[in-house]
Amino acid sequence: MEILLQLCARTELTVCFAFYPHARLEGEGQGRILQRFPEKDWEDSPFPQGVELFCQPSGWQLVPDQQPPSFFVAVLTDINSDRHYCACFTFWEGLDNPQVRKTSAVDEADELSVVQTSKIFAPKSLVLVSQLDYTEVFRNCLGLIYTVHVDGLSVPLETVIGHLLTCVIPIAGGSQRTITLGAGDRQVIQTPISDSLPVSGSSVAQLFRQLGIVNVLYLFCAALTEHKILFLSSSYQRLTDACRALLAIMFPLKYSFTYIPILPGKLLEVLSTPTPFIIGVNSFFRSETQELLDVIIADLDGGTVTIPECVHISLLPEPLLQQTQTALSMVLDPELEVADHAFPPQSIQPSALKIQDKEIRAVFLWLFARLFQGYRWCLHIIRIHPEPVIRFHKAAFLGQRALSEDDFLTKVLDGMAFAGFVSERGPPYRATDLFDDLVANQVERIRQEEACPHKVMNHVKELAEQLFKNENPYPAVAMHKVQRPSENSQNNAQNRAPFPMLDDVAVQLFIDHAAAKLKTAPPAVKAELKSMVPSGPPLGENGNVMANSARRLEVVRNCITYIFENKMLEAKKLMPAVLRALKGRGARVCLTQELNQHVLQNRAVLDDQQFDYIVRMMNCTLQDCSHMDEHGIAAALLPLVTAFCRKLGAGITQFAYSCVQEHMVWTNMQFWEAMFYSDVQNHIRHLYLETEDREQEISALELASEQSRLWPTLSKEMQMERVQKEESTVFSQAIHYANRMSYLLLPLDTSKNRLLRSSGIGDMESVSNSYVTNSIAGSMAESYDTESGFEDAESSDVANSVVRFINRFVDKVCNESGVTNEHLKALHAMIPDIVQMHIETLEAVHRESKRLPPIQKPKLLRPTLLPGEELVMDGMRVHLIPDGREEATGLMGGPPLLPAEGAIFLTTYRLIFKGTPTDPLVGEQTVTRSFPIASLTKEKRISVTLTMDQFVQEGLQLRSCTFQLMKIAFDEEVASDLAEVFRKHLHKLRYPQHVQGTFAFTVGQCGKMVVEHKAKDKNQSLKTLSKNLVKSAKRTIGRQYVSRKKYSPPTWENRSSFQSELDEDEISVSEEVDQSSLTLSSTIRSSDRQTMSNVVERACCRDYQRLGLGTLSNSLTRSKNEPFRISTANRMYTMCRSYPGLLIVPQSIPDATINRICRCYRQNRFPVVCWRNSRTKAVLLRSAGLHAKGVVGFFKSPNAPTAVPSQADSTNLEQEKYLQAIISSMPSYSENSGRNTLSGFTSTHMNTSGRAKVISLSQPKVSGKARNPPRGKWGSIRGSGRLSAYNPDVGTRLAGKESPQPNGGPSDPLFLRQQKAYLYIIGDKAQLKGGKQDSFQHWEVVPIEVCDVRQVKNSFKKLMKACVPSSSTSDPNMSFLRCLEESEWMLHRVLQVSVLVVELLNTGSSVMVSLEDGWDVTTQVVSLVQLLSDPYYRTFDGFRLLVEKEWLSFGHRFSHRGAQTLGSQSSGFTPIFLQFLDCVHQIHLQFPMEFEFSQYYLKFLAYHYVSNRFRTFLLDSDYERIELGVLYEEKGERKNPQVCKSVWDYIDRLNKKTPVFYNYMFSPEDEEVLRPYTFISNLKVWDFYTEETLSEGPSYDWELRGRQERTAEETAEKPDTSGPKSQRHIVWPCYDNLTKAVPDSITKLLQELQSLEAELGQTSDKWKDTWDKIKTTQRTETNSLLMSSNLSHQRRSQGVYLQESGVGSSINLALDCEASATSTPVAGRPSTSTLYSQFQSTESENRSFEGILFKKGALLKPWKPRWFVLDKTKHQLRYYESRQDKECKGVIELAEVESVTAGTPTMGAPKNIDEKAFFDLKTTKRVYNFCAQDSLNAQLWMDSIQSCLSDA
């Protein structure tokens, strides 16, 4: 375990020996040095410390067996980064085993179990340390010393070592030296010709053999881009060779990080260093390298390279990578190319290893020559004397090579190795080598040959020859002669004497003697050949980059000429073309050259317009420059921006730099450095050109080379003078640049505290990525002040940051270019003064520039806002760009409305663009495009090139789910950070944290939430009531139901003792609540009955009662014979959060059972009844799909109801009971006689349902054979000869069963058994796979395929792109219809399932829809089924009720599906409700006479369900709405009458004013069931998706329409002198609102009637009154018409006649029959007229006298016409807004009336009315002023009131 001898070398060699005395067998020992020669260090090479660790890298250990001697070379690097090569020769010496000696004394019986040898072996090492790397020579020398020792040769060891230490070897120069150590040996040492080229032996070829081409290339790129590399091998010598090889292929770059080819085990912690490294470690330590996360591990023995996940290696750019790989494979595997040849050449062998090694290195040399070609043209020489200082202009190099985007090259140029390359190879006067020649003189050859691999190979072979010659200058070398130890001496190791201690004195004498000889010898100095380094061909501008046509450059030149000749009109015309051309680099270069010609003596004074144009062109040029300025455009403009100026006033000049500051390049430190160095180089060149008086063509590097050559010949004074001159040149440039930087970094308005970006110059430590907005500041600073923490900062903040930035710059460049410290201090003192001075100049300029008239841009138009809508960001000037819709662009005829110029406004509710078209022909029109922020689905950045004279920055594309798309491009005046702020605000508004942040909640609020009232308040709000209800409920029940949010869910029923816990079967709401049963903190008085009805209505009880499903009786007892009851099991929303509080369940099922059943269903959504067919009494149920286990247990186990199966668990039985209870409720269940077979139904349906045929309801039975359909509606129109495509549809898609029968008979695909089931369960096909149908059960499962939410989401995206494409395309595959087809907007599937369910219900079977989670497709299907089956739902009231019941109460997840908040953002927008509305629209198109509401009503809902204007469609369930307190909001509670919280209230109010929602064709047929066609060919694209009104934006916010019309009228009132106007009005389809421009005839007539009444001074009736009157007069005629025609039997999709079919209108506002003053859905049906008696005032019987009176409002209020009713019974005078209004506006109690007297007209009274028509009514509280239509009428009223008073 000992180091033996160690040789140290300067260029010579030294020897030391080391021994190790005491050894231990177990564990590791410690090596120590025994002897070293010479004992003192050489003067120029100190002895490295810790050599003993490297001799045995795996640790010093004793071994039981003799080992063969080993040899390897370790490399140590000293503090000066000089490498020392330690050649280590280890052999093993035998020792007596001390442990054996001890054990021999012990008794034989206790012999050790381990057999121990008597001898053990300890390592001894001979080490030679040298600064030269001659592995073979070291191996031979150390081997010789060992041989002399073991073979006992006669030569003394001291002599051998003395010779070794004193032989002299020259470092390089291609000489050869023969050495002998005096033991009969002879060795020849050859030195390489050039010491700059690495010596690699055959190590490179070896590395490629071990790892392969791709792996080595990975390592090569990793080493160049500064990653950590670790080699593993079990051979130490191979580790050294691999590391040497990697360094060799990196030439001409030198590795400058940690380099340890052999790392001892004790130093393994070095591997966790943060810096890059190349290290080799023995495979023995592999396990300890496993946890290194960022180290690339190359296993030489296994041939693998492992790259960790977190490491990204940038590879060589293509095509270089591919070409390099090809070249390498041709070197390493030449047979590959001819492997497929039929007659391969006889022998294609790879070259010998040593030659192959050089060929591989030649490939890498060739590669570097290509990578670095032309690098010398990007060197800046900034000092020549005393030492050259060179800097590399990285940006210019990357730009000219068109590689600025390349990751690999950028990293290499930023790396340490390249910095070393520049400092070593930069100097222009030095010795040159192979690489210099290659990169300068052979670039052209490389470029021409690169595409031809064989030519490349020839070149590679030439280079390889030169490399080989460098290493082996004398190939025919005399033979080496070195003795090896003899065989027997090796075998005889056991008895060998140990290596002796040597005589120090003898060795030292040898050394001293040799040293004396050297002194007398003449110095052998090899003259270094210095020369000028050739630069090679200049970096050509790559042709493909300069793809600017001469025409474009001509345009730029002409425009500049026009500007300077003051031909402004011509210049303006050319400007758009110029701005387009400036996107190309050639045009930008051309611009800088042209502008240069107009600068005289560094100055060019312009007038305002010239200045404006020039600045605009400069900005456009700079905007496309990257912050690196790789094309030098900013550099060329820098002198120009300080030259062009305009006079603002007396002595005040504004320079162009104050207008071009908003570009990132000015804040990039590297840009300024490169500019500075470039200028310094030019000045130094001029400095020497003057002295030289030479021609101008000489380049700076050539000049520097010449000066460097002359330098030694100059006198000391001359040398000093030149140094000073250069230094002062640099210093003066530094002052100049401090000024320049302050010009471009200080903003014009320094008073504003500008926003410093985080990476801006405010605190920018890393100079590489410095960006600053708007000259280190941004115009949006105000909004950031509070965030950045300096509220009222002085302008000094800007000044300080600029000073800091300039100081950093000055420090860096002055230190690099050797400016003296005194000068540097002077500079630092100057900079603040320069900045301050410039700020003062700017203040005056800013002041004056404000007075300039602004550039004429179109005035920004303000948008009209809704009440409560507020601006979040004021208008930002933008351009609205045309998208893929061509209507507005003029391509389809009509004027080009787009592009338009205007502003984008962000409000709390909408995003609005308002502006004017840029086309002058339509410049007077206004273009508006807007959508609610809540409907934004996608926002992405785009860049826009515009054909107009404004230069435009980046843009945004905003897509909305209201089928609107806004492509906007920000104007140049909008700062980029302002656009960013806009995006942030937009995102914040689009995705509020909570639903309470949406517009529906924030509108009209003062930011305060509703405060909780105390219990004593008289008029207690419902919110509080609901909260108190819940609180007391919790107290009473003693169970915490809700613990999540601030509100708790109230129960709908207010008997808070919750008796219903005990009697679950009943529910009753008594009119007078029993006071004693209340434990509420605020008891409910009888006056709060309104709340009760609200709760009941909201829980859909109104509808259940109408359908006779459950009753709300006043008594607590109820007959048990009703099949269904209203269950309150979910009243606290504990059973199912997403269901309503009240549910319809079978009478016989107790609530406890329901609680258990619900667990089998997803989300606990168990089956509940939602509708009942009034004729067949079949019920429609809805539920979620079963949990997987539920399916298995329920549908797949054949449970026969006759006997209880043993294996079925109780829930399955309970589920069965539940379904059985539903079946039992059906009348048809008890009378099994007349059951029709369903197969008959299906087959007919199959033939026809594509054609909407109907099985007539009167027919009791349809035989199974009947293939011809019975005569239903339209039964005779088309023949049914061929089977329609419904066959596969219903058969396989709907039923999910195989259609062909096994016996080949006729298929009967839908239901395979003869008997009709009582209950059909529509389930998901995927979930019900493999379910066996049980023949005893009375229900049957119909599996269907449904679209899941993901499909709907993707389909909707495609639909939007089809209807509103983002860009126009001529691709026929992208046409509108093709895109529409590909969107797969699957309405027909939903409609088909719905039609199927309608048929089943009609034939008397109940249906349970049980799909997905029960809140998407289920909701669509059950809603459509009810709409098709029940005419009530096709009225206003009914449709509202349907949506409230099925969508809102049953928990469709509006917030989640609409992605209304930040939490649901990731889930994306899924328009389930929109699909439903589209289906309704399709049905409406086919049955236009069956719906009371119009198509506009559906569009209105489609728009507002995503707009978040109303609260109706927010939140996911009633539970959540109660929690927020938004469920029960009384109308009287609204503080702001302008703000409607419910969309239904809004529609009601609007409907009273205008017939826009009303369908004039409404003329329903009694009890008609609709069966629409469901084929895709029958469906139409909804115009909601495609229409647009650019004149006013979407027409769904009516307040805006009113306001816009008023402003239009005001402008029209101004006198117009332009001459006669045409009465014709041109209507543009995408611009005008067609409903307004081309109204339907009835609306038009109604409007005319109203205006006529107004002219005549009559009080105009509501439109509905007028319409109803007209209809009643028509009835008699219509009846006879209908009787004689066959129309009543026709399907009325073609019906355009407007009469009614003698049934009475089902408009909710009653007609003339006041007797039924209830909202009868279809008049004449007795069941419905009595339905709402509990909820509606039936006051019509008590009307003694009624009519219209004008009433004067209270103080300062106007006169208004009201409908007055005198009620003798109740002794009241009531008034309503109109005749049919059911809501009383006010009551005058007659008991309080004191007198009735004739009155006089007061201010504001109706005109043209007789004075005697006025009368006053005096009560105890106030005096009422009335006005009748005439005096007669007034007298009647006075008499009637008087008679009432006297009666009392």
Side-chain angles (χ1 to χ4, degrees), residues 1439-1500:
F1439 193 77
R1440 168 182 180 170
L1441 196 72
L1442 181 68
V1443 172
E1444 283 185 337
K1445 176 178 71 165
E1446 299 300 341
W1447 290 87
L1448 297 169
S1449 287
F1450 275 100
H1452 173 63
R1453 304 178 69 191
F1454 280 104
S1455 279
H1456 187 75
R1457 294 283 178 252
Q1460 286 168 351
T1461 56
L1462 199 57
S1464 53
Q1465 179 187 355
S1466 56
S1467 62
F1469 178 74
T1470 317
I1472 302 288
F1473 186 64
L1474 182 72
Q1475 260 193 339
F1476 163 69
L1477 291 174
D1478 196 350
C1479 289
V1480 178
H1481 145 260
Q1482 300 293 348
I1483 301 165
H1484 197 301
L1485 283 180
Q1486 296 187 31
F1487 300 96
M1489 302 171 77
E1490 296 300 330
F1491 290 85
E1492 185 182 9
F1493 45 83
S1494 62
Q1495 290 274 357
Y1496 182 79
Y1497 177 79
L1498 295 173
K1499 293 183 202 171
F1500 188 87

Side-chain angles (χ1 to χ4, degrees), residues 1241-1368:
F1241 148 65
T1242 337
S1243 50
T1244 53
H1245 197 68
M1246 276 193 13
N1247 282 354
T1248 63
S1249 57
R1251 312 208 180 99
K1253 290 187 188 143
V1254 176
I1255 293 162
S1256 85
L1257 304 179
S1258 57
Q1259 212 170 313
K1261 196 186 279 186
V1262 179
S1263 76
K1265 298 172 200 151
R1267 283 277 174 251
N1268 287 334
R1271 190 176 183 293
K1273 294 203 172 176
W1274 270 26
S1276 56
I1277 300 289
R1278 299 185 192 164
S1280 52
R1282 60 193 174 79
L1283 224 59
S1284 74
Y1286 224 127
N1287 203 337
D1289 262 15
V1290 176
T1292 54
R1293 189 176 331 153
L1294 289 179
K1297 296 187 179 173
E1298 295 303 315
S1299 41
Q1301 290 184 346
N1303 61 3
S1307 60
D1308 209 356
L1310 184 52
F1311 302 110
L1312 292 174
R1313 52 193 183 152
Q1314 287 303 98
Q1315 284 213 325
K1316 165 172 79 75
Y1318 294 105
L1319 171 65
Y1320 288 100
I1321 299 170
I1322 309 274
D1324 191 345
K1325 186 175 181 178
Q1327 202 187 12
L1328 299 172
K1329 246 176 222 155
K1332 281 211 300 289
Q1333 189 55 54
D1334 179 6
S1335 54
F1336 291 106
Q1337 285 168 338
H1338 296 279
W1339 56 81
E1340 180 170 340
V1341 182
V1342 183
I1344 63 161
E1345 272 181 34
V1346 289
C1347 296
D1348 66 354
V1349 169
R1350 268 198 323 277
Q1351 282 171 288
V1352 176
K1353 195 185 302 177
N1354 295 333
S1355 164
F1356 179 68
K1357 281 182 189 161
K1358 290 179 191 165
L1359 179 72
M1360 276 205 298
K1361 282 182 182 155
C1363 295
V1364 189
S1366 55
S1367 55
S1368 52

Side-chain angles (χ1 to χ4, degrees), residues 23-68:
R24 308 189 305 259
L25 186 62
E26 66 283 343
E28 282 197 10
Q30 191 67 43
R32 71 186 175 93
I33 297 172
L34 295 183
Q35 274 187 300
R36 53 169 280 203
F37 306 99
E39 288 180 338
K40 296 194 179 68
D41 290 356
W42 294 110
E43 300 153 21
D44 55 355
S45 66
F47 177 66
Q49 298 303 311
V51 166
E52 56 274 22
L53 279 175
F54 287 86
C55 294
Q56 289 288 315
S58 309
W60 293 82
Q61 285 163 332
L62 299 174
V63 292
D65 296 315
Q66 168 81 31
Q67 307 276 334

Side-chain angles (χ1 to χ4, degrees), residues 59 114 365 439 468 590 772 1025 1143 1197 1284 1767:
V114 180
L365 258 182
V439 82
F468 185 75
C590 170
V772 178
L1025 175 63
L1143 299 163
S1197 67
S1284 74
D1767 187 340

Side-chain angles (χ1 to χ4, degrees), residues 660-691:
V660 296
Q661 294 171 324
E662 300 190 14
H663 301 281
M664 292 190 293
V665 66
W666 307 130
T667 55
N668 180 11
M669 189 71 89
Q670 289 180 339
F671 164 76
W672 288 108
E673 286 167 28
M675 285 293 302
F676 175 78
Y677 294 144
S678 160
D679 275 6
V680 167
Q681 172 172 286
N682 290 338
H683 281 81
I684 284 184
R685 179 168 169 270
H686 287 304
L687 186 74
Y688 288 108
L689 273 178
E690 286 161 17
T691 55

Side-chain angles (χ1 to χ4, degrees), residues 703-722:
L703 201 75
S705 165
E706 181 68 11
Q707 288 298 321
S708 302
R709 188 178 63 75
L710 295 173
W711 173 254
T713 62
L714 298 174
S715 65
K716 276 275 184 291
E717 293 76 35
M718 286 281 282
Q719 286 183 344
M720 282 308 295
E721 185 197 336
R722 294 196 169 189

Side-chain angles (χ1 to χ4, degrees), residues 169-429:
I169 300 165
I171 291 177
S175 58
Q176 83 177 24
R177 180 71 52 94
T178 307
I179 59 164
T180 174
L181 301 185
D185 61 312
R186 183 174 77 241
Q187 289 188 72
V188 177
I189 296 180
Q190 294 192 8
T191 55
I193 295 171
S194 163
D195 65 326
S196 66
L197 295 174
V199 174
S200 60
S202 56
S203 57
V204 175
Q206 207 62 53
L207 179 66
F208 272 86
R209 291 203 169 175
Q210 286 160 343
L211 293 178
I213 294 176
V214 174
N215 281 342
V216 179
L217 281 175
Y218 266 112
L219 291 180
F220 168 74
C221 293
L224 287 182
T225 51
E226 301 182 358
H227 287 288
K228 304 178 186 179
I229 297 172
L230 177 66
F231 285 105
L232 292 180
S233 174
S234 52
S235 151
Y236 289 119
Q237 191 53 43
R238 282 196 174 181
L239 287 174
T240 307
D241 283 347
C243 294
R244 179 193 283 129
L246 190 54
L247 262 52
I249 58 176
M250 282 173 69
F251 175 81
L253 299 181
K254 291 189 175 161
Y255 194 72
S256 51
F257 294 103
T258 312
Y259 174 72
I260 311 172
I262 298 173
L263 182 70
K266 288 204 167 148
L267 301 179
L268 280 179
E269 67 268 16
V270 171
L271 293 175
S272 49
T273 172
T275 54
F277 58 67
I278 296 176
I279 290 180
V281 169
N282 194 312
S283 309
F284 179 73
F285 300 111
R286 178 191 303 275
S287 57
E288 292 170 48
T289 64
Q290 295 305 314
E291 63 272 8
L292 299 169
L293 294 178
D294 57 346
V295 178
I296 297 158
I297 299 177
D299 181 356
L300 297 172
D301 307 346
T304 60
V305 169
T306 313
I307 302 169
E309 281 180 22
C310 60
V311 173
H312 166 68
I313 301 177
S314 305
L315 288 174
L316 289 163
E318 288 292 2
L320 266 183
L321 180 61
Q322 191 54 48
Q323 290 167 353
T324 308
Q325 281 182 338
T326 309
L328 287 170
S329 71
M330 287 173 79
V331 169
L332 288 161
D333 187 6
E335 291 179 5
L336 177 66
E337 215 185 350
V338 295
D340 288 353
H341 288 197
F343 305 104
Q346 288 304 310
S347 63
I348 293 198
Q349 290 301 320
S351 322
L353 214 52
K354 276 190 172 181
I355 303 288
Q356 202 181 44
D357 180 275
K358 303 304 170 285
E359 287 173 350
I360 295 169
R361 280 180 52 198
V363 172
F364 281 95
L365 258 182
W366 171 86
L367 168 68
F368 273 113
R370 290 193 61 190
L371 275 176
F372 292 162
Q373 67 181 49
Y375 81 96
R376 297 198 69 77
W377 291 93
C378 297
L379 294 175
H380 285 156
I381 183 145
I382 45 178
R383 289 293 293 272
I384 300 175
H385 304 314
E387 284 293 319
V389 180
I390 305 246
R391 285 289 161 266
F392 181 71
H393 191 349
K394 180 181 104 180
F397 180 72
L398 287 172
Q400 289 175 326
R401 293 286 307 277
L403 287 170
S404 47
E405 300 301 314
D406 183 56
D407 206 18
F408 172 76
L409 196 53
T410 311
K411 283 181 181 169
V412 171
L413 297 184
D414 282 335
M416 292 266 288
F418 188 75
F421 172 84
V422 169
S423 55
E424 183 193 347
R425 291 182 180 265
Y429 185 68

